[in-house]
Amino acid sequence: MTASLTCRKTLSLEAGSVYAWETAEGTTGNILIDPAESVARPCSAEGMPLGGMVLVKSVGNVENPHPDPEIRRAFLTAASVIFQEGERQGQLPDKITRTYW
């Protein structure tokens, strides 16, 4: 089975960068990456944090995980892809498309 994920930066705010993401299956969401590029959290399209789930890049662990495994998995995948591309490019990218099996 092949899956894909597309992320694109939609806003740059004082609180960080907002990315909209979508999977090939149609699951969508938004992630706020803080200015230090070390913390990701689910957010609204306007950049307002939603819920308490947080991924701290240096620890690689999710705090306050969402109870729905699909939402939790999609958030982790999107945040990981954004962080990996940021490290690879030396800065947070404007757009990412990732295909995986």
Side-chain angles (χ1 to χ4, degrees):
M1 180 175 135
T2 301
S4 66
L5 175 76
T6 302
C7 302
R8 63 181 171 79
K9 189 186 294 186
T10 57
L11 289 173
S12 292
L13 306 168
E14 190 173 312
S17 298
V18 177
Y19 282 84
W21 57 266
E22 181 174 5
T23 66
E25 296 79 24
T27 305
T28 62
N30 295 284
I31 290 182
L32 176 66
I33 306 290
D34 75 323
E37 301 177 12
S38 61
V39 176
R41 64 184 67 232
C43 69
S44 67
E46 296 79 27
M48 297 299 298
L50 300 173
M53 188 165 49
V54 174
L55 174 65
V56 180
K57 179 178 157 183
S58 63
V59 177
N61 202 7
V62 173
E63 297 174 11
N64 304 315
H66 193 283
D68 183 332
E70 280 189 48
I71 292 173
R72 188 171 57 244
R73 186 174 25 258
F75 166 75
L76 285 170
T77 301
S80 297
V81 164
I82 294 167
F83 283 145
Q84 287 170 359
E85 279 301 305
E87 285 184 10
R88 191 178 74 75
Q89 295 182 25
Q91 64 182 19
L92 288 179
D94 288 330
K95 186 172 181 179
I96 308 159
T97 300
R98 184 74 55 90
T99 301
Y100 49 96
W101 290 264

